[in-house]
């Protein structure tokens, strides 16, 4: 059977997916003064580049390198931009510069207070005075991102990057804006430019790799991770990512090599050993899976995941004994969570009733309740296993334990009540339906079984009250209403309220003309009363056509024929019924028919058999004693 194996790999959260509140945290409150300094302290750069390294002196000056066409074009663009900025700065009066700075600081303050409309108003006023200030463009982009205006956010972020190509924060917010719109290709281009143009920004290779993964560009993601490893050295989480990429590329050998490298670099980390064992098992390399899982057990003898891997591998090899041993050892560990155990037991439930797995399923269910005695779901799933294994009393016991820990589960109450009804234990059925109705007073099914419990206890008046109450809740379920009518027919008959009984049966048959219980009981009770016998014969005749081998229905039809004085016909059906039935009523009826046909010795013999079987009429002893029929 399939066991559920659980991987131990971790997922790197993509750093570019900042929630809105985290965006604001990029700039704490203390940045108000910094922002002011950026605005009034010269050209609008939010982050000044590092000072150039000193030129190394040599005996002869180096010959200038000829610039490429692309480099010349970029220099011309930068020169034009600087000229425009210088012109704009020169046009700004000192008063305008101070006013722009004041608006900017106010805008940042309102952003921190989450008053984004006021922040937008102040920042745009700052922008009108100083549109080429990268910091102002950046904050307007951030504010637009926070209010969901992504188009404007992208435009201002692009401007910030264009105005100051050395500040990583400007690239980051632009990439975030693209990523939030699932424009991963554009976001990747931004990260690529950031890594190329901004010093000390190689750490963003991880963001770039995640973006490539989001697009399904596995080769590009792999390249980004490998470039990051060249910069920062091997990293465990990166190795896991590379493993996943190799597996998606069906390159098992490289994935396994990454795993072996992880194990070598982290000899005390069992999770890496387990991940390697799972990889072998998932690719049907069972001897290797067993070897590596056993290696994990040498480090942690009670590790449940290692036992699960071994159980699955041995099962696939056909070694059922060893597989069962390993899975039991896994279940004995509290480290294997109750949810994992429930999932595994659900796999067994799908195979029950199957003698090949039933014993193991029952043992695992017992272990689960023993190891997790305070988990309602442990007892619930154990009850399910036992119910499907035909161990109904034990199943009910575990369901009740589950309800003791958590009584809010309707379906568990339903299982308890159904078992009570199947076992015909009226005391338990009444107690449990009363408890269930306190919690679920609008559930018709509990009123139904409460009425059944009263019928078992020979309390028809109470049964009628429960059935009538439950029927009120079935306005949208005519099938369930018909079941209530059938039970009401029985209950009213016991109360000798025959008109109500007949009406209830007729209502049930109006919905379903083949309702077996209604057809049988209604026709039989009519025959006992000697009322409307043609209708009784019609219903009982339909029943034996539908179920020609059912001894109860054969007896009902025979008794209707008996009341119609068709003794030969009654004998024909009773002879067929007694071939399989040992019911006292059926045997007594057969004796009555034989007596009517003139065979008194045979009739007495059948009456005597009926007495041994039990469940007969009060007249049976007189019939036997006097060797004659009494009715």
């Amino acid at each position: 059977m399939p066991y559920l194996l659980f991987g131990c790999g971790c997922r790197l959260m993509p750093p570019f997916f900042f929630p809105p509140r985290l965006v604001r945290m990029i700039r704490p409150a203390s940045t108000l003064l910094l922002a002011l300094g950026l605005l009034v302290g010269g050209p609008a750069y939010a982050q000044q580049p590092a000072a150039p390294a000193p030129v190394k002196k040599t005996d002869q000056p180096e010959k200038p390198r000829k610039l490429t066409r692309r480099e010349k074009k970029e220099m011309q663009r930068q020169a034009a931009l600087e000229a425009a900025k210088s012109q704009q700065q020169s046009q700004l009066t000192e008063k305008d510069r101070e006013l722009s700075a004041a608006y900017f600081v106010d805008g940042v303050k309102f952003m921190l207070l989450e008053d984004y409309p006021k922040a937008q108003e102040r920042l745009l006023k700052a922008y009108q005075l100083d549109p080429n200030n990268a910091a102002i463009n950046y904050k307007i982009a951030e504010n637009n991102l926070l209010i969901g205006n992504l188009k404007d956010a992208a435009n201002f972020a692009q401007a910030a990057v264009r105005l100051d190509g050395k500040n990583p924060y400007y690239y980051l917010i632009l990439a975030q804006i693209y990523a939030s719109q699932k424009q991963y290709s554009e976001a990747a281009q931004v990260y690529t430019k950031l890594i190329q143009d901004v010093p000390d920004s190689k750490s963003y290779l991880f963001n770039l790799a995640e973006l490539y993964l989001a697009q399904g560009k596995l080769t590009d993601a792999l390249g980004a991770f490998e470039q990051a490893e060249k910069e920062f050295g091997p990293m465990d989480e990166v190795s896991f990512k590379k493993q996943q990429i190799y597996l998606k590329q069906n390159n098992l050998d490289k994935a396994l090599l990454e795993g072996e490298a992880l194990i070598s670099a982290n000899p005390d980390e069992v999770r890496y050993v387990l991940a390697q064992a799972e990889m072998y098992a998932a690719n049907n390399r069972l001897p290797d899976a067993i070897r590596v899982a056993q290696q994990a057990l040498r480090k942690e003898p009670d590790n449940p995941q290692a036992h699960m891997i071994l159980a699955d591998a041995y099962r696939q090899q056909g070694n059922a004994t060893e597989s069962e041993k390993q899975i039991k050892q896994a279940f004995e560990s509290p480290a294997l969570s109750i949810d994992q155990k429930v999932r595994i037991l659900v796999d067994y439930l799908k195979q029950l009733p199957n003698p090949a797995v039933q014993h193991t399923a029952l043992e695992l269910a017992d272990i689960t309740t023993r190891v997790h005695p305070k988990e309602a779901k442990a007892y619930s799933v154990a009850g399910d296993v036992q119910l499907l294994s035909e161990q109904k009393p034990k199943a009910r016991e575990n369901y009740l334990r589950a309800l003791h820990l958590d009584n809010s589960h309707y379906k568990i109450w339903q299982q308890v009540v159904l078992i009570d009804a199947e076992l015909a234990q009226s005391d338990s059925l009444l107690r449990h339906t009363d408890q269930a109705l306190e919690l679920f007073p609008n559930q018709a099914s509990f009123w139904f079984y409460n009425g059944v419990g009263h019928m078992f206890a020979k309390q028809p008046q109470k049964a009628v009250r429960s059935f009538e109450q439950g029927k009120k809740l079935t306005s949208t379920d005519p099938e369930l209403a018909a079941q209530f009518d059938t039970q009401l027919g029985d209950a009213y008959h016991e109360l000798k309220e025959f008109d109500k009984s007949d009406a209830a049966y007729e209502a049930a048959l109006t919905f379903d003309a083949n309702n077996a219980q209604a057809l049988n009981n209604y026709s039989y009770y009519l025959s006992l009363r000697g009322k409307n016998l043609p209708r009784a014969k019609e219903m009982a005749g339909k029943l034996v056509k539908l179920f020609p081998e059912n001894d109860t229905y054969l007896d009902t039809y025979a008794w209707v024929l008996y009341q119609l004085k068709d003794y030969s016909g009654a004998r024909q059906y009773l002879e067929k019924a007694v071939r399989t039935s040992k019911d006292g009523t059926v045997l007594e009826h057969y004796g009555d028919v034989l007596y009517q046909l003139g065979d008194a010795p045979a009739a007495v013999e059948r009456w005597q058999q009926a007495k041994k079987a039990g469940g007969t009429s009060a007249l049976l002893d007189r019939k036997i004693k006097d060797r004659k029929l009494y009715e």
Side-chain angles (χ1 to χ4, degrees):
M1 65 154 291
Y3 300 111
L4 297 177
L5 301 178
F6 303 92
C8 57
C10 301
R11 175 174 175 81
L12 285 171
M13 290 300 294
F16 55 85
F17 290 116
F18 295 118
R21 290 186 180 274
L22 288 183
V23 175
R24 294 196 298 280
M25 291 174 66
I26 293 174
R27 287 285 189 268
S30 61
T31 58
L32 289 172
L33 295 177
L34 173 61
L36 180 60
L38 293 173
L39 284 167
V40 301
Y45 291 96
Q47 176 176 309
Q48 296 295 331
V55 178
K56 182 179 179 180
K57 294 183 179 180
T58 60
D59 294 337
Q60 294 182 352
E62 293 184 5
K63 184 178 180 180
R65 180 176 62 83
K66 187 176 181 179
L67 297 176
T68 65
R69 181 180 298 177
R70 181 178 178 182
E71 288 172 332
K72 289 179 181 177
K73 188 174 182 180
E74 178 62 20
M75 287 183 65
Q76 291 171 354
R77 190 187 70 82
Q78 289 290 342
L81 182 62
E82 290 298 328
K85 288 165 61 178
S86 297
Q87 183 181 3
Q88 195 275 339
Q89 287 289 332
S90 64
Q91 292 173 353
L92 274 178
T93 66
E94 187 65 25
K95 182 178 179 181
D96 287 343
R97 186 178 292 109
E98 290 178 359
L99 185 58
S100 175
Y103 282 135
F104 179 80
V105 171
D106 269 357
V108 173
K109 179 187 71 174
F110 282 120
M111 284 182 68
L112 293 172
L113 295 173
E114 301 185 17
D115 190 342
Y116 303 122
K118 286 185 179 178
Q120 187 83 336
E121 176 193 354
R122 300 303 194 277
L123 290 171
L124 287 175
K125 286 182 177 180
Y127 175 82
Q128 289 172 355
L129 293 168
D130 193 359
N132 290 324
N133 189 301
I136 294 175
N137 280 273
Y138 167 73
K139 295 307 289 185
I140 295 175
E142 184 182 349
N143 196 65
N144 276 295
L145 174 62
L146 291 171
I147 62 178
N149 188 356
L150 299 180
K151 183 177 180 180
D152 286 347
N155 291 333
F156 282 102
Q158 288 167 354
V161 170
R162 188 169 57 251
L163 291 165
D164 183 357
K166 299 300 180 183
N167 191 317
Y169 289 110
Y170 301 166
Y171 291 91
L172 291 176
I173 196 169
L174 180 57
Q176 182 186 351
I177 292 165
Y178 285 137
S180 65
Q181 301 175 84
K182 297 186 178 180
Q183 295 177 337
Y184 298 130
S185 180
E186 289 81 355
Q189 291 175 17
V190 173
Y191 275 111
T192 300
K193 186 169 177 57
L194 164 62
I195 294 163
Q196 290 174 349
D197 295 352
V198 179
D200 301 321
S201 60
K202 294 291 194 274
S203 61
Y204 297 111
L205 284 164
F206 301 107
N207 303 59
L208 180 59
E210 292 289 345
L211 277 169
Y212 284 137
L213 284 177
Q215 299 174 79
K217 295 181 177 180
L218 302 181
T219 303
D220 290 336
L222 194 59
F225 280 131
E226 288 175 345
Q227 190 178 347
E229 284 189 319
K230 288 178 183 178
E231 293 288 335
F232 304 105
M235 283 180 262
D236 296 346
E237 302 305 335
V238 171
S239 291
F240 267 118
K241 289 286 184 181
K242 289 169 66 179
Q243 269 189 332
Q244 297 304 309
I245 293 172
Y246 287 135
L247 288 173
K248 289 178 181 178
Q249 293 177 331
N250 294 319
N251 194 337
L252 178 61
D253 290 337
K254 282 195 174 183
L256 291 170
L257 282 175
E258 286 289 339
E260 293 296 343
L262 276 170
I263 294 170
S264 298
N266 303 273
D268 296 326
E269 284 283 359
V270 176
R271 62 192 179 112
Y272 298 135
V273 182
L274 292 171
Q276 191 79 343
E278 284 187 351
M279 206 178 308
Y280 279 124
N283 289 277
N284 206 34
R285 292 176 57 169
L286 301 179
D288 288 322
I290 292 171
R291 170 180 58 81
V292 178
Q294 289 173 338
Q295 179 183 340
L297 286 176
R298 285 193 290 273
K299 296 178 182 294
E300 291 185 9
D302 296 327
N303 188 289
Q305 189 175 344
H307 286 298
M308 290 300 300
I309 294 170
L310 287 171
D312 189 43
Y314 285 128
R315 179 191 61 80
Q316 292 187 64
Q317 287 184 334
N319 189 344
T321 301
E322 190 61 32
S323 177
E324 184 176 334
K325 174 184 173 184
Q326 293 295 331
I327 196 171
K328 287 178 183 177
Q329 286 182 273
F331 266 59
E332 290 285 356
S333 172
L336 187 66
S337 73
I338 180 62
D339 290 330
Q340 290 173 297
K341 289 172 182 172
V342 168
R343 284 196 293 268
I344 294 166
L345 284 170
V346 166
D347 281 336
Y348 278 97
L349 284 171
K350 294 174 182 176
Q351 301 177 70
L352 293 175
N354 179 352
V357 300
Q358 181 172 303
H359 178 73
T360 302
L362 288 168
E363 284 198 71
L364 293 178
D366 287 340
I367 294 171
T368 302
T369 57
R370 175 164 46 79
V371 176
H372 303 277
K374 295 184 179 180
E375 288 282 357
K377 63 183 71 174
Y379 296 106
S380 176
V381 73
D384 290 341
V385 172
Q386 290 161 341
L387 183 62
L388 290 176
S389 300
E390 295 298 324
Q391 296 186 4
K392 293 178 182 178
K394 287 185 177 180
R396 180 176 58 183
E397 183 179 344
N398 273 316
Y399 287 140
L400 290 171
R401 287 176 179 172
L403 291 171
H404 178 73
L405 293 167
D406 182 359
N407 67 359
S408 65
H409 293 281
Y410 165 77
K411 289 186 178 180
I412 300 179
W413 280 108
Q414 192 175 45
Q415 292 288 57
V416 169
V417 167
L418 287 172
I419 293 173
D420 288 338
E422 288 181 20
L423 297 177
Q425 295 181 350
S426 60
D427 291 345
S428 297
L429 184 56
L430 288 171
R431 181 171 65 255
H432 294 143
T433 50
D434 284 341
Q435 292 171 345
L437 284 168
E438 290 181 8
L439 298 166
F440 308 99
N442 294 323
Q443 288 294 332
S445 62
F446 292 138
W447 288 107
F448 181 88
Y449 284 106
N450 185 258
V452 171
H454 285 301
M455 289 295 287
F456 284 157
K458 300 189 182 305
Q459 299 170 339
Q461 190 63 58
K462 292 182 178 179
V464 164
R465 284 200 294 269
S466 295
F467 290 140
E468 292 287 8
Q469 179 63 33
K471 187 181 175 183
K472 294 176 184 177
L473 303 171
T474 64
S475 57
T476 60
D477 190 346
E479 182 177 358
L480 183 57
Q483 294 181 38
F484 274 100
D485 283 324
T486 302
Q487 296 297 328
L488 282 167
D490 294 349
Y492 279 125
H493 173 81
E494 293 298 320
L495 293 171
K496 301 188 183 309
E497 296 186 38
F498 300 127
D499 290 342
K500 289 184 178 179
S501 174
D502 293 352
Y505 284 133
E506 291 289 354
L509 291 170
T510 298
F511 174 77
D512 179 9
N514 294 326
N515 182 324
Q517 182 179 345
L519 288 171
N520 182 73
N521 293 6
Y522 189 17
S523 59
Y524 185 66
Y525 291 149
L526 286 176
S527 71
L528 291 180
R529 289 156 46 201
K531 299 292 185 181
N532 203 358
L533 293 177
R535 172 69 168 143
K537 181 179 179 181
E538 174 195 345
M539 292 187 291
K542 174 186 285 191
L543 200 56
V544 295
K545 286 180 180 178
L546 291 171
F547 306 96
E549 303 299 325
N550 186 293
D551 50 47
T552 298
Y553 301 157
L554 290 168
D555 174 66
T556 296
Y557 188 48
W559 199 243
V560 172
L561 295 176
Y562 180 90
Q563 296 295 340
L564 291 167
K565 303 188 183 311
D566 182 0
Y567 303 125
S568 296
R571 177 176 183 172
Q572 176 186 347
Y573 286 96
L574 282 168
E575 283 179 344
K576 190 174 181 180
V578 297
R579 291 174 194 163
T580 57
S581 176
K582 301 300 178 185
D583 182 83
T585 299
V586 176
L587 292 167
E588 184 177 1
H589 285 169
Y590 191 27
D592 293 354
V593 168
L594 292 173
Y595 189 90
Q596 292 286 12
L597 291 171
D599 192 349
V604 173
E605 181 181 353
R606 293 298 179 177
W607 290 335
Q608 290 171 338
Q609 292 174 356
K611 183 175 182 179
K612 291 179 181 179
T616 55
S617 73
L619 298 172
L620 182 62
D621 286 339
R622 288 183 62 194
K623 293 178 187 178
I624 296 172
K625 179 181 177 182
D626 297 341
R627 301 178 68 84
K628 63 182 294 187
L629 179 64
Y630 292 100
E631 294 182 311

